[in-house]
Amino acid sequence: MGVLECDNMLMLLACSQKMADKERDVVVPLMIRGFKDAAEEAGTSVNGGQTVINPWMTIGGVATTVCQPNEFIMPDNAVLGDVLVLTKPLGTQIAVNAYQWLDQPDRWNRIKLVVSEDDVRKAYQRAMFSMARLNKIGARLMHKYNAHGATDITGYGLLGHANNLARIQKNEVGFVIHNLPVVAKMAAVAKACGNIPGMGGLLQGTSAETSGGLLICLPREQAAAFCKDIEKSEGYQSWIIGIVEKGSRSARIIDKPRVIEVPAKDKEGELW
């Protein structure tokens, strides 16, 4: 919704009961430090929270703010002719799972013909950097370029969140997605894995993302400038991935979407 200021942040931390004391003493402070660093980057601080014991490690937060009506953008004003812009590539779940498969020969054998170990390690690093990026600059530019609505792409995947956004529109519109920007080589991995849980659905828009980008409805004449501006500000691309047309408040991906490899070519010594 384009909210730029965060007044308060709570941290929710779960420590794994499966970890030895020495492991917890190393891992937990690092996770807390990373969380506090991200809060500081967002212009806020951690003022409380809760810690519990859990089978696995988790960390998250609750952010709250009080703002004026002109400081946020309602997500329900998409109009016929708008375009859809995505600010981060897809494929984070595939990249993280493929990285874990490097130590699991039975699973690695399923994908080793379509991707190298080096490809997987780079994809994992790209996913980490992508997930660590805040959406704050994208949110700020939503105001500058007159966005008509937006959502972030997380657990429901691109299509799930696009449908949720389409469903609440005031106008009778639908979203049509033509392009899928994907972390390099992860589309091939997803195809090789078929319907394996956690590895499929990428090209169908159902693969879960973690800390994904913004899906924004922008006036057609403003979208290219938005993409250019965010790349100038952050050094990362955004993409026009679809259109807003007359419809029944739903979203769809065309039968043969264009897969955009991100990055298109490897550069020596650079991730992107």
Side-chain angles (χ1 to χ4, degrees):
M1 295 178 70
V3 176
L4 303 180
E5 303 297 330
C6 177
D7 294 334
N8 188 53
M9 175 70 72
L10 301 179
M11 182 176 66
L12 308 176
L13 174 67
C15 298
S16 174
Q17 62 195 22
K18 298 178 181 179
M19 298 179 80
D21 290 346
K22 288 184 178 180
E23 291 173 323
R24 273 202 297 268
D25 289 345
V26 172
V27 173
V28 172
L30 289 172
M31 293 181 67
I32 292 173
R33 189 175 77 187
F35 189 91
K36 291 174 68 176
D37 287 348
E40 183 176 339
E41 184 181 352
T44 189
S45 59
V46 180
N47 295 310
Q50 184 177 15
T51 303
V52 299
I53 299 296
N54 205 42
W56 51 85
M57 288 291 304
T58 59
I59 194 167
V62 178
T64 56
T65 192
V66 177
C67 54
Q68 298 293 327
N70 65 335
E71 294 178 306
F72 62 89
I73 298 169
M74 291 299 293
D76 55 1
N77 291 306
V79 299
L80 185 67
D82 279 353
V83 297
L84 304 173
V85 169
L86 185 66
T87 63
K88 290 185 185 181
L90 307 168
T92 54
Q93 183 184 58
I94 308 295
V96 171
N97 288 346
Y99 181 77
Q100 293 177 329
W101 282 17
L102 290 174
D103 298 322
Q104 302 174 43
D106 290 346
R107 293 184 171 183
W108 173 245
N109 288 339
R110 291 190 65 101
I111 61 175
K112 68 180 183 181
L113 296 180
V114 299
V115 69
S116 70
E117 290 190 22
D118 186 56
D119 291 332
V120 169
R121 295 183 195 282
K122 283 184 179 178
Y124 176 75
Q125 289 297 319
R126 286 164 179 154
M128 294 300 104
F129 273 86
S130 180
M131 289 187 284
R133 276 174 60 206
L134 299 178
N135 284 320
K136 188 172 183 178
I137 291 178
R140 174 171 58 79
L141 293 178
M142 283 171 55
H143 292 267
K144 181 177 179 180
Y145 293 99
N146 303 305
H148 292 148
T151 186
D152 61 332
I153 307 302
T154 52
Y156 294 119
L158 174 63
L159 188 59
H161 288 285
N163 263 311
N164 288 341
L165 185 61
R167 193 175 296 122
I168 64 164
Q169 295 307 308
K170 294 177 183 176
N171 298 314
E172 292 184 357
V173 295
F175 299 164
V176 182
I177 296 168
H178 304 96
N179 301 319
L180 298 176
V182 176
V183 173
K185 308 299 175 88
M186 293 303 101
V189 170
K191 287 180 181 179
C193 290
N195 294 321
I196 295 176
M199 296 298 281
L202 181 61
L203 303 185
Q204 293 74 40
T206 58
S207 180
E209 302 292 333
T210 298
S211 186
L214 298 175
L215 177 67
I216 309 171
C217 303
L218 283 167
R220 182 183 298 272
E221 63 275 12
Q222 302 268 38
F226 174 96
C227 293
K228 184 176 180 180
D229 203 342
I230 197 170
E231 184 170 9
K232 181 180 178 181
S233 299
E234 290 195 285
Y236 296 97
Q237 288 179 284
S238 291
W239 304 266
I240 297 172
I241 67 166
I243 60 172
V244 177
E245 62 177 20
K246 186 174 177 60
S248 55
R249 299 184 180 90
S250 62
R252 66 182 177 90
I253 298 175
I254 64 172
D255 289 339
K256 294 182 180 180
R258 174 187 172 217
V259 175
I260 302 170
E261 296 276 312
V262 184
K265 292 182 180 180
D266 276 338
K267 298 178 182 178
E268 187 68 31
E270 297 182 17
L271 276 180
W272 302 103

